[in-house]
Amino acid sequence: QLGLQTNFIGREVHYEESVTSTNTLALKDAYDGAPEGAIVVSEEQVSGKGRLGRSWYSPKFTGIWFSVILKPNIPPQQAPQLTLLAAVSVVRGIEAAIGCKCEIKWPNDILINGKKTVGILTELQAEADRINAVIIGIGINVNQQLEHFPDDLKETATSLSIETGKKLNRSMVLQAILKELEDLYVDYLENGFQVVKVLWENYAVSIGKQIKARTLTETIEGKAIGITDDGVLLLEDKNGTIHHIYSADIEI
Ligand code: BT5
């Protein structure tokens, strides 16, 4: 049971023991008329999705695997702003719930002590130039211990429990995140992206640093100097040319 402090986000909960992916289910729920703020939560995902066809490891009972259905009246090209808004909400929620400091790596990773703890995957349901729903999928490693991770993640991933040395209450963490998400989202709809942008840049580990951005077609090296109002990463190379990075993996 969620002791919620929110007005609409998480008021309708679709809970499952096991699903392919909460994002896939949320896309269907949105199509079937689920209200804004409805969430899909599952104890396990058997084919959790990352970006670009990658997978997200989501074992039973150890993490928080969930998707939020939003229905903002914004043009589709502004949807990346909601990924950044979600990342800020998660950082603040985790900090409020357990006092743990996180950093954001553009566009969607949340790290603790340099290791990935949270991934975010935003998917759109849009027709022509109108958004029907934005699905924000969030995966948080909570109670896994290092030995639970597959070998290929042992060096790069961590969980809230590993970092705090405690077993944590998942619903308390989820509630704190939903509260931050609702507050920021309401403010965003009323006042626009600026508040999120400033908060995001403060939590971002890459801003001001030399990084490598691997896009599908090339690798660009340079200094991350900020994000645009659409959530696009700005990278200045050694010649002073500024590149707009829409989608890439970042190496710091
Ligand atoms: C992401 O993709 O980080 C987005 C992950 C989104 C997961 C949530 S869970 C709820 C909702 N439903 C879904 O089906 N998805 C969303 P990307 O940046 O592409 O990173 C994927 C990469 O992270 C993988 O290729 C692995 O290297 C690594 N990875 C996979 N599982 C991980 C885990 N549990 N913890 C840390 N790293 C992981």
Side-chain angles (χ1 to χ4, degrees), residues 7 12-13 19 60 90 94 101 108 111 150 165-166 187 190 192 227 247:
N7 292 319
E12 183 168 313
V13 180
V19 298
K60 207 159 198 168
V90 172
I94 288 176
K101 292 249 180 289
N108 67 337
L111 315 176
K166 294 185 198 141
D187 183 77
E190 268 173 30
I227 50 172
S247 173

mmCIF file of all heavy atoms in Angstrom, residues 7 12-13 19 60 90 94 101 108 111 150 165-166 187 190 192 227 247:
data_model
loop_
_atom_site.group_PDB
_atom_site.id
_atom_site.type_symbol
_atom_site.label_atom_id
_atom_site.label_comp_id
_atom_site.label_asym_id
_atom_site.label_seq_id
_atom_site.Cartn_x
_atom_site.Cartn_y
_atom_site.Cartn_z
ATOM 1 N N ASN A 7 -1.529 14.324 -5.390
ATOM 2 C CA ASN A 7 -2.927 14.495 -5.791
ATOM 3 C C ASN A 7 -3.316 13.645 -6.974
ATOM 4 O O ASN A 7 -4.434 13.164 -7.049
ATOM 5 C CB ASN A 7 -3.188 15.960 -6.128
ATOM 6 C CG ASN A 7 -3.115 16.816 -4.896
ATOM 7 O OD1 ASN A 7 -3.613 16.409 -3.839
ATOM 8 N ND2 ASN A 7 -2.470 17.961 -4.985
ATOM 9 N N GLU A 12 -3.760 6.219 -9.264
ATOM 10 C CA GLU A 12 -4.220 4.954 -9.860
ATOM 11 C C GLU A 12 -2.987 4.085 -10.089
ATOM 12 O O GLU A 12 -2.055 4.491 -10.786
ATOM 13 C CB GLU A 12 -4.950 5.230 -11.182
ATOM 14 C CG GLU A 12 -5.489 3.941 -11.787
ATOM 15 C CD GLU A 12 -6.471 4.199 -12.933
ATOM 16 O OE1 GLU A 12 -7.375 5.052 -12.776
ATOM 17 O OE2 GLU A 12 -6.312 3.549 -13.964
ATOM 18 N N VAL A 13 -2.979 2.916 -9.452
ATOM 19 C CA VAL A 13 -1.799 2.048 -9.543
ATOM 20 C C VAL A 13 -2.186 0.727 -10.196
ATOM 21 O O VAL A 13 -3.143 0.075 -9.780
ATOM 22 C CB VAL A 13 -1.212 1.751 -8.139
ATOM 23 C CG1 VAL A 13 0.010 0.847 -8.258
ATOM 24 C CG2 VAL A 13 -0.857 3.036 -7.416
ATOM 25 N N VAL A 19 5.947 -8.726 -15.443
ATOM 26 C CA VAL A 19 5.520 -8.228 -16.768
ATOM 27 C C VAL A 19 6.704 -8.331 -17.726
ATOM 28 O O VAL A 19 7.834 -8.580 -17.303
ATOM 29 C CB VAL A 19 5.074 -6.746 -16.711
ATOM 30 C CG1 VAL A 19 3.869 -6.571 -15.798
ATOM 31 C CG2 VAL A 19 6.206 -5.829 -16.259
ATOM 32 N N LYS A 60 13.307 -9.915 -9.616
ATOM 33 C CA LYS A 60 12.151 -9.869 -8.720
ATOM 34 C C LYS A 60 12.473 -9.324 -7.324
ATOM 35 O O LYS A 60 13.501 -9.654 -6.746
ATOM 36 C CB LYS A 60 11.606 -11.303 -8.576
ATOM 37 C CG LYS A 60 10.140 -11.342 -8.260
ATOM 38 C CD LYS A 60 9.526 -12.684 -8.612
ATOM 39 C CE LYS A 60 8.030 -12.505 -8.696
ATOM 40 N NZ LYS A 60 7.359 -13.630 -9.297
ATOM 41 N N VAL A 90 13.842 12.026 -9.387
ATOM 42 C CA VAL A 90 14.389 10.817 -8.768
ATOM 43 C C VAL A 90 15.538 11.189 -7.825
ATOM 44 O O VAL A 90 15.608 10.710 -6.690
ATOM 45 C CB VAL A 90 14.856 9.807 -9.845
ATOM 46 C CG1 VAL A 90 15.596 8.646 -9.200
ATOM 47 C CG2 VAL A 90 13.670 9.288 -10.655
ATOM 48 N N ILE A 94 15.211 10.398 -3.880
ATOM 49 C CA ILE A 94 16.163 9.511 -3.195
ATOM 50 C C ILE A 94 16.847 10.265 -2.052
ATOM 51 O O ILE A 94 17.010 9.760 -0.945
ATOM 52 C CB ILE A 94 17.200 8.946 -4.201
ATOM 53 C CG1 ILE A 94 16.527 7.923 -5.117
ATOM 54 C CG2 ILE A 94 18.393 8.317 -3.473
ATOM 55 C CD1 ILE A 94 17.423 7.370 -6.224
ATOM 56 N N LYS A 101 23.268 11.051 -1.840
ATOM 57 C CA LYS A 101 23.515 12.014 -2.924
ATOM 58 C C LYS A 101 23.743 11.302 -4.258
ATOM 59 O O LYS A 101 24.554 10.393 -4.352
ATOM 60 C CB LYS A 101 24.765 12.836 -2.618
ATOM 61 C CG LYS A 101 24.590 13.775 -1.447
ATOM 62 C CD LYS A 101 24.588 15.238 -1.912
ATOM 63 C CE LYS A 101 24.405 16.213 -0.764
ATOM 64 N NZ LYS A 101 23.068 16.231 -0.183
ATOM 65 N N ASN A 108 19.976 10.231 -19.146
ATOM 66 C CA ASN A 108 18.994 9.506 -18.336
ATOM 67 C C ASN A 108 19.574 8.631 -17.246
ATOM 68 O O ASN A 108 18.852 7.839 -16.667
ATOM 69 C CB ASN A 108 18.126 8.636 -19.262
ATOM 70 C CG ASN A 108 18.962 7.523 -19.898
ATOM 71 O OD1 ASN A 108 20.172 7.653 -19.998
ATOM 72 N ND2 ASN A 108 18.340 6.432 -20.276
ATOM 73 N N LEU A 111 23.649 8.213 -11.128
ATOM 74 C CA LEU A 111 24.809 7.508 -10.583
ATOM 75 C C LEU A 111 24.969 7.826 -9.105
ATOM 76 O O LEU A 111 24.652 8.925 -8.658
ATOM 77 C CB LEU A 111 26.087 7.970 -11.299
ATOM 78 C CG LEU A 111 26.092 8.093 -12.823
ATOM 79 C CD1 LEU A 111 27.430 8.654 -13.286
ATOM 80 C CD2 LEU A 111 25.829 6.741 -13.479
ATOM 81 N N PRO A 150 24.494 -9.442 -12.808
ATOM 82 C CA PRO A 150 25.212 -10.257 -13.796
ATOM 83 C C PRO A 150 26.647 -9.712 -13.956
ATOM 84 O O PRO A 150 26.888 -8.535 -13.690
ATOM 85 C CB PRO A 150 24.418 -10.060 -15.086
ATOM 86 C CG PRO A 150 23.367 -9.061 -14.824
ATOM 87 C CD PRO A 150 23.352 -8.722 -13.376
ATOM 88 N N GLY A 165 24.397 0.543 2.791
ATOM 89 C CA GLY A 165 24.628 -0.548 3.739
ATOM 90 C C GLY A 165 23.362 -0.971 4.472
ATOM 91 O O GLY A 165 23.433 -1.632 5.501
ATOM 92 N N LYS A 166 22.190 -0.570 3.950
ATOM 93 C CA LYS A 166 20.923 -0.929 4.626
ATOM 94 C C LYS A 166 19.964 -1.587 3.652
ATOM 95 O O LYS A 166 20.014 -1.321 2.461
ATOM 96 C CB LYS A 166 20.217 0.343 5.125
ATOM 97 C CG LYS A 166 20.944 1.067 6.204
ATOM 98 C CD LYS A 166 20.060 2.222 6.669
ATOM 99 C CE LYS A 166 20.892 3.250 7.432
ATOM 100 N NZ LYS A 166 20.531 4.606 7.154
ATOM 101 N N ASP A 187 4.661 22.499 -11.587
ATOM 102 C CA ASP A 187 5.376 23.758 -11.792
ATOM 103 C C ASP A 187 5.784 23.920 -13.259
ATOM 104 O O ASP A 187 5.676 24.996 -13.844
ATOM 105 C CB ASP A 187 6.619 23.795 -10.881
ATOM 106 C CG ASP A 187 7.360 25.116 -11.015
ATOM 107 O OD1 ASP A 187 6.880 26.106 -10.442
ATOM 108 O OD2 ASP A 187 8.384 25.165 -11.734
ATOM 109 N N GLU A 190 2.927 24.937 -15.436
ATOM 110 C CA GLU A 190 2.540 26.339 -15.232
ATOM 111 C C GLU A 190 3.607 27.315 -15.714
ATOM 112 O O GLU A 190 3.302 28.312 -16.344
ATOM 113 C CB GLU A 190 2.307 26.605 -13.737
ATOM 114 C CG GLU A 190 0.864 26.393 -13.348
ATOM 115 C CD GLU A 190 0.678 26.483 -11.839
ATOM 116 O OE1 GLU A 190 1.438 27.222 -11.178
ATOM 117 O OE2 GLU A 190 -0.230 25.783 -11.339
ATOM 118 N N GLY A 192 6.926 26.445 -17.149
ATOM 119 C CA GLY A 192 7.910 26.103 -18.165
ATOM 120 C C GLY A 192 9.128 25.380 -17.600
ATOM 121 O O GLY A 192 9.194 25.010 -16.435
ATOM 122 N N ILE A 227 22.726 22.409 -21.448
ATOM 123 C CA ILE A 227 21.661 21.853 -22.269
ATOM 124 C C ILE A 227 20.826 23.000 -22.833
ATOM 125 O O ILE A 227 20.820 24.098 -22.278
ATOM 126 C CB ILE A 227 20.754 20.872 -21.489
ATOM 127 C CG1 ILE A 227 20.272 21.481 -20.164
ATOM 128 C CG2 ILE A 227 21.453 19.555 -21.263
ATOM 129 C CD1 ILE A 227 19.237 20.639 -19.450
ATOM 130 N N SER A 247 21.152 12.361 -29.151
ATOM 131 C CA SER A 247 21.096 11.012 -28.597
ATOM 132 C C SER A 247 22.504 10.449 -28.641
ATOM 133 O O SER A 247 23.163 10.475 -29.676
ATOM 134 C CB SER A 247 20.151 10.164 -29.456
ATOM 135 O OG SER A 247 20.208 8.828 -29.036
#
